[in-house]
Amino acid sequence: MLFMETELLERLEFNNQVIGDISVKQTDRRQYPQHSDTLIVRLLVLACAAVSNGCNDQVQQSASESAAERPRKSHARMLMLLDQIKEDRIHQRLYFGNRTIQKEEHDLEWLPPNRPDLRFKLLHHVGRRRLWLGDTEKAIEHLHHALILAETQGWRESSTDRNDAIFQLGLAYLRLGENENCVNCNNAESCLLPIQNAGVHEKQNGSRNAIKYFKAYLEHEPDHVEARWLLNIAYMTLGEYPHKVPDQIRIDPHLFESATEFPRFQNIASDVGIATLSLSGGAVIDDFDGDGDLDQMTSSCGFADQLRFFRNVDGSFRDATDEANLTGLYGGLNLVQADYDNDDDIDVFVMRGAWLGEMGQMPNSLLQNDGTGKFQDVTFASGLADQNFPTQTAVWADFNNDGHLDLYVGNEDYPSQLFENDGRGRFRDVAAKGNVENRRFTKGVTAADFNDDGYPDIYVSNLGGNNRLYQNNRDGTFIDVAESLQVTEPQSSLPTWFWDYNQDGVLDIFVASYSDKMAYVSHKFYQQPPAMEFDCLYEGNGNGGFREVAASRKLLDLTQAMGSNFGDLDNDGYPDFYLGTGYPQYEGLVPNLMYWNRGGRAFADVTTGGGFGHLQKGHAVIFSDIDNDGDQDVFQQMGGAYPGDRAADCLYENPGLGNSWVKIKLVGIKSNRSGIGVRIRATITEGDRSRNVYKWVNSGGSFGGSPLRQEIGLGKADSIDHLEVYWPTTNRRQSFTDVLVNQVIEITEGSARYSILSP
């Protein structure tokens, strides 16, 4: 019996380390994957090897295979590998170890009656595990039993154990309320801060019990920020905030108000058929089938979670996953699109393995589009799976200006990869030669020509270390100039992008900080000192240098951003941005944040005024005119990391602010077909003032794929006086005058005229 007790204690300690550290800390962000059972590592390696060995002969004979046969075999090989990972339950084992929850619950029967402390530990453990798996009612049952033990027994740690069980019960009941209302009965106002009207829960048992246990916990820990915050949220879900919240705990309602008035955007995802329930994942919105309407692809990070494709049919969306040939393609924390093979349709790169350390060494996917929105996984055929490392971030750019898009993949604690496109469907990794391996915990990458020499450069956001700015030497190599240009911070960062926030024709850099604590809430609502770094906004000076201006532009929130992107909500030509926020633990319910650009001088937080303050965990963000009415709507892919933390995706419909716009589809001839890296300048007149609106062609930030057809706001302009398109690959410019606003046009490289696609 003593051996059994010792073994059980060791296993509990192991499992609690694994699950407790999943909200990755700045100092130990790499730890929990290494706690995974080495047997699982061997299982995955063997699975990959089995699939690879079965195809070795085919790979060696590739020279004699037809061009169509190689992609078909590559697709089948990927399906086989992903199915093996799914069947081996790799995702759950990574989080919870090799034993099933049923086996751990069975251990309760073998515990000696004279060890209530050991029984508490196991009940507490399986209760939390049930909660993370989504078995909320069973979790509550286990945690209740654990609390009874802690309250009736007198072992040395019982008071501390009791308090933690009380807090965990509050979390479990709050999650029960979320599941019964805003998850399973989602509506347009679900989870929007401050929760009111239709967002108030109809089924109130969960929140009422959450209030009971959070109050009890605060009697012992009165300054606990998480419990104070969640207690206010629980009262909101009952329609009883602020009047029934105890005075000493109540948050001032004025702190939830946007200081600047802004039109409210309505969440219409359920109405149009894309309120998909999922874990954290990626998304791309683009015209995949060439009919002029925007379609959508989404992913979810679970290894059994299906890639989803939604075809746009008259403004609503139909799930066309099977006809898109995506069935059986699982997982992916992020997606990024481009026409990599220059055949005039949009292909997609899917990233896998982020946060999983050694176990994240699984292939990503390159999905080749046949032009109708049907895809083949050509990863193995293209050479992108020769070495696989954990990643959630990548960027397409033509780094050598040969007219073919290359791919930079930012990996976590493994060498990042720069895949050079040979123009014949194959890639080779030239990162070592190019000096861009990074070998840090890469969480965001973006590319643009910051020093205006015609060649794209790379900014790399690293978690727990200096960020890098790789300047392109125009000979296949790069040099890191981040330290000399003072753009290395924040030290703990995730999403990033190049943009021209102040519309002066010079590229700037935004990079968001990250923490897995209640930093935003502590700072904003409880006026506690900053517990993390602020976001950085590096303003380009026109001479290849930068200065950090976030504070002077009113960006002083601790945002904890994950997925994010930028666009133009009001079509004034100045880019706004939306941050998907949160952290993996269930208590990490913080509002996603929208910032409105006030003419390049400052940003205003319009989160609650505009209806963007969703409390569930936000990932991929997309700005796109999804309903073809001229203004940009905002899509956000939602969901957490734990299997039980699914949430419904959101689509915020733009009510229209009355400004002009133009949409431009570029068609490269000598340059890459997508026009990625091209600079657009529109000179407009508003009243008696002339100004320029600049746009660099890409899909936006490092987490979310906005359409490659550029959607450009033009303010109050009646026409575009002068439209210039600069193609860096050929160093040529095209110019057009007196272009009408509020239309969709196509510009082919080298053509003297543009085509009107839609007036």
Side-chain angles (χ1 to χ4, degrees):
M1 185 63 72
L2 179 61
F3 172 78
M4 183 266 176
E5 291 177 25
T6 304
E7 181 186 26
L8 182 56
L9 280 169
E10 289 175 350
R11 189 160 67 244
L12 283 170
E13 181 181 359
F14 162 81
N15 283 330
N16 282 324
Q17 279 183 302
V18 174
I19 348 181
D21 287 347
I22 256 170
S23 62
V24 181
K25 299 176 175 61
Q26 184 172 328
T27 55
D28 61 357
R29 65 189 184 280
R30 310 177 187 95
Q31 284 186 10
Y32 75 86
Q34 279 67 39
H35 291 174
S36 301
D37 194 319
T38 54
L39 172 62
I40 308 170
V41 179
R42 292 196 295 271
L43 278 173
L44 183 57
V45 171
L46 289 172
C48 295
V51 177
S52 300
N53 290 339
C55 298
N56 280 345
D57 292 340
Q58 297 167 351
V59 173
Q60 291 169 2
Q61 296 170 8
S62 60
S64 62
E65 291 174 343
S66 68
E69 186 68 5
R70 287 194 296 274
R72 187 187 68 78
K73 289 183 176 179
S74 177
H75 187 94
R77 184 177 174 187
M78 183 64 75
L79 291 178
M80 204 167 159
L81 175 58
L82 295 178
D83 186 64
Q84 183 67 52
I85 294 172
K86 173 187 174 183
E87 290 301 313
D88 285 341
R89 298 171 52 254
I90 299 296
H91 188 256
Q92 287 197 14
R93 294 183 185 190
L94 279 168
Y95 279 72
F96 305 116
N98 213 23
R99 289 172 57 83
T100 66
I101 184 66
Q102 291 80 11
K103 289 179 180 178
E104 291 186 329
E105 288 172 332
H106 182 70
D107 286 341
L108 288 166
E109 301 175 12
W110 294 91
L111 292 176
N114 63 339
R115 292 299 305 273
D117 57 331
L118 191 56
R119 178 172 290 276
F120 172 87
K121 288 181 183 297
L122 186 53
L123 282 167
H124 183 267
H125 166 69
V126 296
R128 295 181 72 191
R129 179 169 175 177
R130 282 288 187 187
L131 180 60
W132 291 323
L133 285 169
D135 303 326
T136 311
E137 293 180 351
K138 191 70 174 176
I140 290 171
E141 179 184 335
H142 287 314
L143 291 168
H144 264 300
H145 289 159
L147 179 59
I148 291 170
L149 270 177
E151 288 179 337
T152 58
Q153 302 296 323
W155 67 88
R156 184 165 51 88
E157 304 91 349
S158 61
S159 60
T160 302
D161 291 340
R162 179 198 62 215
N163 291 346
D164 190 66
I166 290 171
F167 182 72
Q168 294 302 324
L169 270 167
L171 275 182
Y173 273 114
L174 189 65
R175 184 66 200 186
L176 178 66
E178 293 175 83
N179 290 341
E180 291 181 338
N181 294 273
C182 54
V183 174
N184 296 327
C185 299
N186 184 261
N187 64 57
E189 296 188 71
S190 293
C191 295
L192 290 180
L193 191 72
I195 298 169
Q196 53 194 355
N197 304 323
V200 172
H201 290 183
E202 292 185 11
K203 298 179 180 179
Q204 298 192 345
N205 177 62
S207 288
R208 294 216 175 272
N209 278 288
I211 288 171
K212 169 186 171 183
Y213 286 103
F214 287 141
K215 279 185 174 179
Y217 182 76
L218 287 168
E219 290 178 6
H220 305 282
E221 300 286 345
D223 297 324
H224 193 266
V225 170
E226 289 87 346
R228 293 167 65 90
W229 167 253
L230 295 176
L231 186 61
N232 280 268
I233 298 300
Y235 273 109
M236 284 185 195
T237 67
L238 300 175
E240 297 176 355
Y241 170 88
H243 55 285
K244 287 194 177 182
V245 184
D247 293 346
Q248 69 275 20
I249 297 171
R250 183 190 307 120
I251 295 174
D252 183 348
H254 294 98
L255 293 175
F256 293 110
E257 298 173 1
S258 293
T260 304
E261 289 189 10
F262 196 78
R264 193 167 182 87
F265 284 48
Q266 188 82 359
N267 179 9
I268 62 168
S270 294
D271 299 336
V272 299
I274 52 175
T276 307
L277 275 176
S278 57
L279 300 179
S280 54
V284 167
I285 290 178
D286 219 311
D287 182 9
F288 289 106
D289 54 12
D291 65 354
D293 293 326
L294 295 175
D295 313 298
Q296 181 188 81
M297 186 183 295
T298 59
S299 69
S300 178
C301 64
F303 294 165
D305 290 351
Q306 173 66 56
L307 279 175
R308 305 285 293 276
F309 182 74
F310 297 91
R311 199 178 300 278
N312 191 326
V313 182
D314 299 326
S316 291
F317 291 84
R318 175 175 60 85
D319 190 333
T321 299
D322 192 55
E323 67 186 57
N325 198 37
L326 297 179
T327 301
L329 294 174
Y330 305 122
L333 187 57
N334 197 6
L335 311 174
V336 62
Q337 85 276 27
D339 182 4
Y340 84 92
D341 51 3
N342 286 339
D343 64 352
D344 206 25
D345 54 44
I346 304 297
D347 314 297
V348 179
F349 184 67
V350 183
M351 287 145 275
R352 299 187 178 96
W355 302 107
L356 303 181
E358 183 180 0
M359 288 299 296
Q361 296 181 71
M362 57 188 67
N364 302 307
S365 282
L366 177 60
L367 306 179
Q368 184 182 46
N369 190 349
D370 71 353
T372 69
K374 184 175 181 179
F375 300 87
Q376 280 200 100
D377 191 313
V378 297
T379 313
F380 294 105
S382 66
L384 289 177
D386 292 346
Q387 283 188 297
N388 304 302
F389 305 117
T391 183
Q392 69 168 50
T393 184
V395 63
W396 294 98
D398 185 0
F399 292 107
N400 55 4
N401 270 343
D402 66 351
H404 304 290
L405 286 171
D406 312 302
L407 179 67
Y408 184 72
V409 181
N411 297 318
E412 299 174 352
D413 280 344
Y414 289 91
S416 293
Q417 295 159 296
L418 176 57
F419 291 105
E420 183 180 68
N421 187 339
D422 70 359
R424 298 184 297 276
R426 293 281 299 176
F427 293 85
R428 68 186 182 105
D429 184 4
V430 295
K433 175 186 174 184
N435 191 38
V436 291
E437 289 188 305
N438 190 36
R439 292 182 181 271
R440 294 178 180 172
F441 204 77
T442 315
K443 298 308 293 181
V445 295
T446 183
D449 179 14
F450 84 90
N451 58 351
D452 204 26
D453 66 355
Y455 283 74
D457 313 292
I458 307 170
Y459 189 82
V460 180
S461 168
N462 294 309
L463 184 62
N466 282 350
N467 299 323
R468 296 190 190 272
L469 176 55
Y470 288 116
Q471 180 177 299
N472 195 327
N473 292 329
R474 299 183 292 176
D475 60 359
T477 67
F478 296 75
I479 182 173
D480 180 12
V481 296
E483 189 170 348
S484 63
L485 297 182
Q486 298 184 324
V487 293
T488 59
E489 296 180 340
Q491 290 286 298
S492 181
S493 59
L494 261 71
T496 185
W497 56 74
F498 282 105
W499 61 342
D500 185 1
Y501 88 91
N502 56 357
Q503 291 297 289
D504 63 353
V506 179
L507 282 169
D508 315 301
I509 302 171
F510 177 82
V511 56
S513 182
Y514 182 75
S515 167
D516 66 343
K517 299 295 184 184
M518 197 65 78
Y520 170 80
V521 169
S522 299
H523 184 63
K524 183 175 179 65
F525 297 105
Y526 296 102
Q527 289 74 54
Q528 294 185 3
M532 58 180 282
E533 302 163 280
F534 291 106
D535 300 340
C536 288
L537 176 59
Y538 296 109
E539 183 182 285
N541 63 13
N543 297 311
F546 298 90
R547 67 186 182 106
E548 208 287 306
V549 298
S552 64
R553 300 300 180 259
K554 306 291 181 67
L555 296 177
L556 284 172
D557 288 327
L558 305 178
T559 58
Q560 301 177 256
M562 298 183 294
S564 54
N565 215 328
F566 63 93
D568 190 354
L569 296 173
D570 56 349
N571 276 338
D572 68 347
Y574 291 93
D576 317 298
F577 67 100
Y578 189 42
L579 300 180
T581 63
Y583 56 92
Q585 300 291 17
Y586 272 29
E587 60 264 30
L589 294 176
V590 296
N592 297 280
L593 301 169
M594 181 67 82
Y595 293 93
W596 184 27
N597 193 332
R598 310 303 287 131
R601 299 179 300 276
F603 289 87
D605 182 345
V606 294
T607 297
T608 54
F612 301 108
H614 206 290
L615 284 170
Q616 298 297 325
K617 298 168 179 66
H619 286 83
V621 170
I622 297 168
F623 286 75
S624 64
D625 181 12
I626 208 162
D627 50 6
N628 282 331
D629 63 355
D631 45 47
Q632 289 193 317
D633 313 296
V634 182
F635 175 83
Q636 186 173 36
Q637 195 279 341
M638 308 294 291
Y642 293 110
D645 201 7
R646 296 181 183 271
D649 296 345
C650 300
L651 175 63
Y652 300 101
E653 183 181 30
N654 195 321
L657 279 77
N659 285 330
S660 302
W661 51 272
V662 68
K663 300 178 190 176
I664 302 175
K665 178 184 177 182
L666 296 177
V667 181
I669 301 301
K670 293 184 178 180
S671 303
N672 73 85
R673 195 76 164 180
S674 301
I676 289 175
V678 169
R679 186 187 68 197
I680 299 170
R681 176 170 63 91
T683 303
I684 60 174
T685 301
E686 294 179 294
D688 58 357
R689 176 190 174 216
S690 178
R691 68 179 175 99
N692 293 317
V693 176
Y694 295 90
K695 195 72 182 291
W696 278 259
V697 178
N698 57 27
S699 60
S702 62
F703 208 143
S706 297
L708 292 173
R709 178 184 69 186
Q710 297 300 287
E711 302 171 349
I712 303 174
L714 300 171
K716 299 298 182 184
D718 295 321
S719 66
I720 301 173
D721 303 329
H722 182 81
L723 180 65
E724 179 186 271
V725 180
Y726 170 65
W727 301 82
T729 295
T730 56
N731 196 28
R732 301 292 297 273
R733 287 175 168 82
Q734 289 170 274
S735 296
F736 310 93
T737 58
D738 298 323
V739 179
L740 294 178
V741 298
N742 301 344
Q743 63 175 339
V744 185
I745 64 176
E746 180 177 278
I747 298 176
T748 300
E749 184 179 13
S751 176
R753 298 178 180 274
Y754 60 84
S755 303
I756 298 175
L757 300 181
S758 176

